[in-house]
Amino acid sequence: MESTGAQVIHGGAIAGAGPGVLSGGAVMIEAGRIQWVGPESDLPSEFKALPRHHLDGRLLTPAFIDCHTHIIFGGNRAREFELRLQGASYEEVARAGGGIVSTVSATRALDEAGLIAQALPRLDAILAEGVSCIEVKSGYGLDVETELRMLRAARALQGLRPVRVRTTYLGAHAVPPEYRARADAYIDEVCIPTLRAAHAEGLVDAVDGFCEGIAFDTKQIRRIFDVASELGLPVKLHAEQLSHQGGTALAARSGALSVDHVEYATEDDARLMAASGSVAVLLPGAFYAIRETQAPPVAAFRKHGVPMALATDCNPGSSPLHSLLLAMNMGCTLFRLTPQEALRGVTEHAARALGLTDTGRIAAGLRADLAIWNVETPAELSYRFGINPLHQRIFGGI
Ligand code: DI6
Ligand code: FE
């Protein structure tokens, strides 16, 4: 499948074209877009003579979307992993000057080429599992120049690999050492001016923050969200990951695209998220790696109709996970998602968490970002782990 010319993909089951699985389905793609999808028996006669791509019984899905990652950073935190194994908690390590702040020093030391070189193997691992679109956050620079450099490096990835990159400004990730105990001054003097500079350079698709005892409170996050709103940028938030701080309510009231982690969110939070249409982005890699025991309120999200997405949260500290398939397996095993919810979580709902309406489903008019899997049913994508069943990924029809 090397041309952008019209072709028909057929001869297998299709998931992501509607609520269930379409067996014996067909898809016509042309010029990088899906033009038609339906049962092969209904294929319009004008498409019948087009070149064919036979699935040989394989499953066709939308290409996956990793809607929450931090893949641009320097160094690693294996030492912190060892400390946690000896009993230190993620918060204790952070309060002792490790954690996010230790990655900040290693990130500041790299130029743009260095940041890209370290990120490419991570990106390649993620793309190898049928991913076509990835969100990348800043937040390990915490000064004007390094935050901008991270965002530029993230954007540059889409010139180096066949992938679509969405960039999120996460200046409110941690308080850097030079502003220790002066979080408000950091927000005024660095975080907000950097947001304005990054936006002026066209580097920001969304604005994020970390609302947590070890990071920023709701008042501080609100000040950043006010600037995002003034600039016309959508917001999202890391909220209720380690404790309940009220970030979810703030984010939902700000019309956030997504609220991420949400282990400590309540049923009231779920109600607010449903009202605002915010996606709950579940990050089981972080839950697993820091040995969290409180699972997110999946039943409340279901009850109130909050869409749930799954992502890797790929980062050097709380989630050194480079597999969206494993995130799906963990979402099912640890959070009791159904395999169908897991698949929607890395396709349709992940697109929604990024505010994208042209991808994540198999429907006429959307981008021809597709994945062909050596499996027969969607449940198999979540069921096995440690094996990659991808047969082929199609990116923009190619
Ligand atoms: N929550 C997370 O899980 C990541 N960021 C955040 O706000 C962790 C980032 C890190 O530990 O480096
Ligand atoms: Fe994160």
PDB file of all heavy atoms in Angstrom, residues 115-138:
ATOM      1  N   LEU A 115      17.723  16.606  22.663  1.00  0.00           N
ATOM      2  CA  LEU A 115      16.387  16.217  23.120  1.00  0.00           C
ATOM      3  C   LEU A 115      15.718  15.293  22.109  1.00  0.00           C
ATOM      4  O   LEU A 115      15.099  14.285  22.465  1.00  0.00           O
ATOM      5  CB  LEU A 115      15.506  17.461  23.332  1.00  0.00           C
ATOM      6  CG  LEU A 115      15.868  18.359  24.513  1.00  0.00           C
ATOM      7  CD1 LEU A 115      15.005  19.622  24.501  1.00  0.00           C
ATOM      8  CD2 LEU A 115      15.703  17.622  25.836  1.00  0.00           C
ATOM      9  N   ILE A 116      15.871  15.636  20.829  1.00  0.00           N
ATOM     10  CA  ILE A 116      15.254  14.818  19.777  1.00  0.00           C
ATOM     11  C   ILE A 116      15.899  13.433  19.755  1.00  0.00           C
ATOM     12  O   ILE A 116      15.203  12.409  19.675  1.00  0.00           O
ATOM     13  CB  ILE A 116      15.392  15.525  18.407  1.00  0.00           C
ATOM     14  CG1 ILE A 116      14.524  16.780  18.381  1.00  0.00           C
ATOM     15  CG2 ILE A 116      15.041  14.583  17.262  1.00  0.00           C
ATOM     16  CD1 ILE A 116      14.764  17.685  17.175  1.00  0.00           C
ATOM     17  N   ALA A 117      17.229  13.389  19.848  1.00  0.00           N
ATOM     18  CA  ALA A 117      17.932  12.097  19.787  1.00  0.00           C
ATOM     19  C   ALA A 117      17.474  11.170  20.910  1.00  0.00           C
ATOM     20  O   ALA A 117      17.310   9.967  20.705  1.00  0.00           O
ATOM     21  CB  ALA A 117      19.443  12.323  19.854  1.00  0.00           C
ATOM     22  N   GLN A 118      17.248  11.743  22.109  1.00  0.00           N
ATOM     23  CA  GLN A 118      16.808  10.881  23.218  1.00  0.00           C
ATOM     24  C   GLN A 118      15.348  10.470  23.070  1.00  0.00           C
ATOM     25  O   GLN A 118      14.935   9.420  23.565  1.00  0.00           O
ATOM     26  CB  GLN A 118      17.050  11.580  24.557  1.00  0.00           C
ATOM     27  CG  GLN A 118      18.533  11.743  24.839  1.00  0.00           C
ATOM     28  CD  GLN A 118      18.886  11.835  26.322  1.00  0.00           C
ATOM     29  OE1 GLN A 118      18.056  11.602  27.202  1.00  0.00           O
ATOM     30  NE2 GLN A 118      20.128  12.162  26.598  1.00  0.00           N
ATOM     31  N   ALA A 119      14.556  11.311  22.399  1.00  0.00           N
ATOM     32  CA  ALA A 119      13.121  11.004  22.280  1.00  0.00           C
ATOM     33  C   ALA A 119      12.818   9.995  21.171  1.00  0.00           C
ATOM     34  O   ALA A 119      11.834   9.253  21.262  1.00  0.00           O
ATOM     35  CB  ALA A 119      12.330  12.291  22.032  1.00  0.00           C
ATOM     36  N   LEU A 120      13.653   9.963  20.127  1.00  0.00           N
ATOM     37  CA  LEU A 120      13.304   9.122  18.971  1.00  0.00           C
ATOM     38  C   LEU A 120      13.115   7.631  19.292  1.00  0.00           C
ATOM     39  O   LEU A 120      12.143   7.033  18.822  1.00  0.00           O
ATOM     40  CB  LEU A 120      14.329   9.304  17.840  1.00  0.00           C
ATOM     41  CG  LEU A 120      14.107  10.568  16.975  1.00  0.00           C
ATOM     42  CD1 LEU A 120      15.242  10.728  15.977  1.00  0.00           C
ATOM     43  CD2 LEU A 120      12.759  10.527  16.247  1.00  0.00           C
ATOM     44  N   PRO A 121      13.997   7.007  20.077  1.00  0.00           N
ATOM     45  CA  PRO A 121      13.738   5.594  20.392  1.00  0.00           C
ATOM     46  C   PRO A 121      12.418   5.387  21.138  1.00  0.00           C
ATOM     47  O   PRO A 121      11.743   4.380  20.953  1.00  0.00           O
ATOM     48  CB  PRO A 121      14.929   5.197  21.279  1.00  0.00           C
ATOM     49  CG  PRO A 121      15.974   6.235  21.025  1.00  0.00           C
ATOM     50  CD  PRO A 121      15.264   7.495  20.636  1.00  0.00           C
ATOM     51  N   ARG A 122      12.060   6.350  21.977  1.00  0.00           N
ATOM     52  CA  ARG A 122      10.765   6.243  22.700  1.00  0.00           C
ATOM     53  C   ARG A 122       9.621   6.331  21.701  1.00  0.00           C
ATOM     54  O   ARG A 122       8.671   5.550  21.734  1.00  0.00           O
ATOM     55  CB  ARG A 122      10.624   7.395  23.704  1.00  0.00           C
ATOM     56  CG  ARG A 122      11.694   7.410  24.754  1.00  0.00           C
ATOM     57  CD  ARG A 122      11.681   8.705  25.596  1.00  0.00           C
ATOM     58  NE  ARG A 122      12.945   8.786  26.296  1.00  0.00           N
ATOM     59  CZ  ARG A 122      13.687   9.884  26.451  1.00  0.00           C
ATOM     60  NH1 ARG A 122      13.253  11.050  26.022  1.00  0.00           N
ATOM     61  NH2 ARG A 122      14.836   9.822  27.062  1.00  0.00           N
ATOM     62  N   LEU A 123       9.742   7.323  20.809  1.00  0.00           N
ATOM     63  CA  LEU A 123       8.697   7.505  19.801  1.00  0.00           C
ATOM     64  C   LEU A 123       8.580   6.254  18.928  1.00  0.00           C
ATOM     65  O   LEU A 123       7.466   5.776  18.657  1.00  0.00           O
ATOM     66  CB  LEU A 123       9.029   8.728  18.933  1.00  0.00           C
ATOM     67  CG  LEU A 123       8.045   9.018  17.814  1.00  0.00           C
ATOM     68  CD1 LEU A 123       6.681   9.412  18.367  1.00  0.00           C
ATOM     69  CD2 LEU A 123       8.573  10.131  16.893  1.00  0.00           C
ATOM     70  N   ASP A 124       9.717   5.709  18.511  1.00  0.00           N
ATOM     71  CA  ASP A 124       9.689   4.540  17.633  1.00  0.00           C
ATOM     72  C   ASP A 124       8.997   3.357  18.315  1.00  0.00           C
ATOM     73  O   ASP A 124       8.246   2.616  17.680  1.00  0.00           O
ATOM     74  CB  ASP A 124      11.108   4.165  17.195  1.00  0.00           C
ATOM     75  CG  ASP A 124      11.667   5.163  16.165  1.00  0.00           C
ATOM     76  OD1 ASP A 124      10.865   5.851  15.500  1.00  0.00           O
ATOM     77  OD2 ASP A 124      12.906   5.255  16.041  1.00  0.00           O
ATOM     78  N   ALA A 125       9.271   3.187  19.601  1.00  0.00           N
ATOM     79  CA  ALA A 125       8.625   2.080  20.324  1.00  0.00           C
ATOM     80  C   ALA A 125       7.113   2.273  20.337  1.00  0.00           C
ATOM     81  O   ALA A 125       6.347   1.326  20.125  1.00  0.00           O
ATOM     82  CB  ALA A 125       9.165   2.005  21.748  1.00  0.00           C
ATOM     83  N   ILE A 126       6.672   3.489  20.548  1.00  0.00           N
ATOM     84  CA  ILE A 126       5.229   3.762  20.618  1.00  0.00           C
ATOM     85  C   ILE A 126       4.591   3.591  19.237  1.00  0.00           C
ATOM     86  O   ILE A 126       3.549   2.942  19.089  1.00  0.00           O
ATOM     87  CB  ILE A 126       4.987   5.168  21.222  1.00  0.00           C
ATOM     88  CG1 ILE A 126       5.380   5.160  22.708  1.00  0.00           C
ATOM     89  CG2 ILE A 126       3.534   5.606  21.039  1.00  0.00           C
ATOM     90  CD1 ILE A 126       5.450   6.531  23.364  1.00  0.00           C
ATOM     91  N   LEU A 127       5.243   4.123  18.205  1.00  0.00           N
ATOM     92  CA  LEU A 127       4.673   4.038  16.848  1.00  0.00           C
ATOM     93  C   LEU A 127       4.592   2.593  16.357  1.00  0.00           C
ATOM     94  O   LEU A 127       3.710   2.254  15.567  1.00  0.00           O
ATOM     95  CB  LEU A 127       5.514   4.852  15.857  1.00  0.00           C
ATOM     96  CG  LEU A 127       5.595   6.358  16.075  1.00  0.00           C
ATOM     97  CD1 LEU A 127       6.325   7.020  14.910  1.00  0.00           C
ATOM     98  CD2 LEU A 127       4.212   6.965  16.257  1.00  0.00           C
ATOM     99  N   ALA A 128       5.505   1.751  16.825  1.00  0.00           N
ATOM    100  CA  ALA A 128       5.547   0.355  16.353  1.00  0.00           C
ATOM    101  C   ALA A 128       4.270  -0.403  16.687  1.00  0.00           C
ATOM    102  O   ALA A 128       4.015  -1.465  16.134  1.00  0.00           O
ATOM    103  CB  ALA A 128       6.748  -0.361  16.953  1.00  0.00           C
ATOM    104  N   GLU A 129       3.466   0.141  17.587  1.00  0.00           N
ATOM    105  CA  GLU A 129       2.213  -0.516  17.948  1.00  0.00           C
ATOM    106  C   GLU A 129       1.005   0.177  17.325  1.00  0.00           C
ATOM    107  O   GLU A 129      -0.061   0.264  17.934  1.00  0.00           O
ATOM    108  CB  GLU A 129       2.071  -0.589  19.471  1.00  0.00           C
ATOM    109  CG  GLU A 129       3.104  -1.515  20.089  1.00  0.00           C
ATOM    110  CD  GLU A 129       2.967  -1.668  21.586  1.00  0.00           C
ATOM    111  OE1 GLU A 129       2.228  -0.878  22.219  1.00  0.00           O
ATOM    112  OE2 GLU A 129       3.606  -2.575  22.143  1.00  0.00           O
ATOM    113  N   GLY A 130       1.178   0.674  16.110  1.00  0.00           N
ATOM    114  CA  GLY A 130       0.016   1.174  15.371  1.00  0.00           C
ATOM    115  C   GLY A 130      -0.444   2.572  15.753  1.00  0.00           C
ATOM    116  O   GLY A 130      -1.585   2.941  15.483  1.00  0.00           O
ATOM    117  N   VAL A 131       0.435   3.354  16.372  1.00  0.00           N
ATOM    118  CA  VAL A 131       0.081   4.720  16.773  1.00  0.00           C
ATOM    119  C   VAL A 131       0.354   5.685  15.610  1.00  0.00           C
ATOM    120  O   VAL A 131       1.400   5.604  14.960  1.00  0.00           O
ATOM    121  CB  VAL A 131       0.872   5.134  18.035  1.00  0.00           C
ATOM    122  CG1 VAL A 131       0.709   6.616  18.338  1.00  0.00           C
ATOM    123  CG2 VAL A 131       0.436   4.282  19.217  1.00  0.00           C
ATOM    124  N   SER A 132      -0.587   6.591  15.357  1.00  0.00           N
ATOM    125  CA  SER A 132      -0.407   7.570  14.271  1.00  0.00           C
ATOM    126  C   SER A 132      -0.310   8.991  14.798  1.00  0.00           C
ATOM    127  O   SER A 132       0.059   9.902  14.066  1.00  0.00           O
ATOM    128  CB  SER A 132      -1.592   7.509  13.303  1.00  0.00           C
ATOM    129  OG  SER A 132      -2.763   7.936  13.973  1.00  0.00           O
ATOM    130  N   CYS A 133      -0.684   9.184  16.054  1.00  0.00           N
ATOM    131  CA  CYS A 133      -0.769  10.540  16.605  1.00  0.00           C
ATOM    132  C   CYS A 133      -0.372  10.479  18.065  1.00  0.00           C
ATOM    133  O   CYS A 133      -0.814   9.587  18.793  1.00  0.00           O
ATOM    134  CB  CYS A 133      -2.210  11.038  16.444  1.00  0.00           C
ATOM    135  SG  CYS A 133      -2.510  12.661  17.132  1.00  0.00           S
ATOM    136  N   ILE A 134       0.457  11.429  18.469  1.00  0.00           N
ATOM    137  CA  ILE A 134       0.938  11.414  19.855  1.00  0.00           C
ATOM    138  C   ILE A 134       0.922  12.832  20.407  1.00  0.00           C
ATOM    139  O   ILE A 134       1.271  13.778  19.704  1.00  0.00           O
ATOM    140  CB  ILE A 134       2.359  10.780  19.911  1.00  0.00           C
ATOM    141  CG1 ILE A 134       2.889  10.700  21.342  1.00  0.00           C
ATOM    142  CG2 ILE A 134       3.360  11.519  19.048  1.00  0.00           C
ATOM    143  CD1 ILE A 134       4.198   9.920  21.446  1.00  0.00           C
ATOM    144  N   GLU A 135       0.495  12.937  21.634  1.00  0.00           N
ATOM    145  CA  GLU A 135       0.565  14.215  22.337  1.00  0.00           C
ATOM    146  C   GLU A 135       1.877  14.228  23.110  1.00  0.00           C
ATOM    147  O   GLU A 135       2.290  13.191  23.646  1.00  0.00           O
ATOM    148  CB  GLU A 135      -0.620  14.343  23.294  1.00  0.00           C
ATOM    149  CG  GLU A 135      -0.707  15.681  24.010  1.00  0.00           C
ATOM    150  CD  GLU A 135      -0.310  15.640  25.463  1.00  0.00           C
ATOM    151  OE1 GLU A 135       0.378  14.676  25.891  1.00  0.00           O
ATOM    152  OE2 GLU A 135      -0.673  16.551  26.190  1.00  0.00           O
ATOM    153  N   VAL A 136       2.551  15.372  23.112  1.00  0.00           N
ATOM    154  CA  VAL A 136       3.817  15.499  23.835  1.00  0.00           C
ATOM    155  C   VAL A 136       3.754  16.773  24.682  1.00  0.00           C
ATOM    156  O   VAL A 136       3.422  17.845  24.164  1.00  0.00           O
ATOM    157  CB  VAL A 136       5.024  15.572  22.867  1.00  0.00           C
ATOM    158  CG1 VAL A 136       6.327  15.627  23.648  1.00  0.00           C
ATOM    159  CG2 VAL A 136       5.040  14.377  21.904  1.00  0.00           C
ATOM    160  N   LYS A 137       4.110  16.641  25.947  1.00  0.00           N
ATOM    161  CA  LYS A 137       4.050  17.788  26.851  1.00  0.00           C
ATOM    162  C   LYS A 137       5.445  18.365  27.100  1.00  0.00           C
ATOM    163  O   LYS A 137       6.428  17.628  27.095  1.00  0.00           O
ATOM    164  CB  LYS A 137       3.477  17.348  28.203  1.00  0.00           C
ATOM    165  CG  LYS A 137       2.059  16.786  28.102  1.00  0.00           C
ATOM    166  CD  LYS A 137       1.595  16.240  29.446  1.00  0.00           C
ATOM    167  CE  LYS A 137       0.365  15.357  29.311  1.00  0.00           C
ATOM    168  NZ  LYS A 137      -0.848  16.039  28.858  1.00  0.00           N
ATOM    169  N   SER A 138       5.488  19.654  27.376  1.00  0.00           N
ATOM    170  CA  SER A 138       6.710  20.249  27.920  1.00  0.00           C
ATOM    171  C   SER A 138       6.669  20.002  29.435  1.00  0.00           C
ATOM    172  O   SER A 138       5.923  19.144  29.893  1.00  0.00           O
ATOM    173  CB  SER A 138       6.773  21.741  27.586  1.00  0.00           C
ATOM    174  OG  SER A 138       5.799  22.447  28.334  1.00  0.00           O
TER     175      SER A 138
END
